[in-house]
Amino acid sequence: MDPKTVERWITQGRNPYPRYRHTIAELLDESESYLWPDALPKQRAVQVSQSEVVHIYPRRGAVPTDLWQQLLEKATRQVGVLVYGGLFLPEFNHRWVSTLREKALAGTRVDLLFGDPDGKNITERGADEDIGAAMSSKILNALAFYRELRGLDNVGIYYHDTILYNSIYRFDDEMLVNTHLYGTPAAYAPVLHLRRIGGGELFDGYVASFTQVLGKKRAVWPERSTANGLGP
């Protein structure tokens, strides 16, 4: 592109043609709607966001077992997990933690956010599901699986004490979002499979939510955990 054309995009608020917007958004790892909020007509923006939905599963148990591993194996830049416990992943997939380790050693950023066992929101969630202190026990059980990741570069393992509206599992530009229903275990709540598309808003909305929780983290193993964040 002519540098003067690019300068007009920046200084005069002009919108690039769609093919350039898409390329620039990919290079900057941002959505088109963030870079040029007025470029897409509202109806078109809605259509693009609908295209981000790959599949909707009525409950977490309906997600194909091998899909979790497939998405993890494809990731090369960022893996992010935001849960209270997420015990099902390492418990039923013996390759889950070892693959996370391989990814981290290869340079992939891994951020794992677990509910604080002593936090007020974990206590309330246990009461809502009528399981008492079992939620805290699940978190500690889950963390036991991840000890081999302790101290690795590119890995952050944290506690959070936020209200968890959704459990988020991000693998580069794909994501599984386990929605939560009041009084219902996450295993019986719907899951959205999303794929980031330039101009869409759904995927980036969940990334923003993840990032906000990451900003409230505290390290599970403070003396050895790293503190780099998961980028947008």
Side-chain angles (χ1 to χ4, degrees), residues 59-70:
R59 60 191 181 283
R60 195 180 68 200
V63 179
T65 305
D66 58 352
L67 180 60
W68 303 91
Q69 184 68 22
Q70 288 174 6

Side-chain angles (χ1 to χ4, degrees), residues 68-104:
W68 303 91
Q69 184 68 22
Q70 288 174 6
L71 292 175
L72 177 58
E73 289 179 352
K74 287 196 304 181
T76 59
R77 295 180 288 107
Q78 297 170 318
V79 175
V81 175
L82 170 60
V83 292
Y84 274 156
L87 181 58
F88 74 98
L89 280 173
E91 193 172 43
F92 297 112
N93 180 1
H94 69 279
R95 298 171 56 200
W96 177 259
V97 177
S98 61
T99 305
L100 284 174
R101 180 182 175 84
E102 293 170 5
K103 292 293 177 180

Side-chain angles (χ1 to χ4, degrees), residues 40-50:
L40 287 177
K42 289 184 178 180
Q43 185 58 36
R44 173 57 179 160
V46 170
Q47 292 173 347
V48 171
S49 292
Q50 289 173 343

Side-chain angles (χ1 to χ4, degrees), residues 115-168:
D116 188 336
D118 299 320
K120 65 175 184 178
N121 285 299
I122 292 300
T123 301
E124 291 180 4
R125 184 57 180 260
D128 292 342
E129 295 187 11
D130 199 24
I131 58 175
M135 183 68 71
S136 296
S137 298
K138 286 182 179 180
I139 294 169
L140 297 175
N141 288 344
L143 285 170
F145 285 96
Y146 292 95
R147 287 191 176 275
E148 66 180 84
L149 304 182
R150 184 178 180 181
L152 287 181
D153 289 339
N154 299 316
V155 175
I157 301 178
Y158 310 109
Y159 284 138
H160 70 92
D161 187 23
T162 60
I163 299 173
L164 198 61
Y165 298 104
N166 303 278
S167 294
I168 298 174

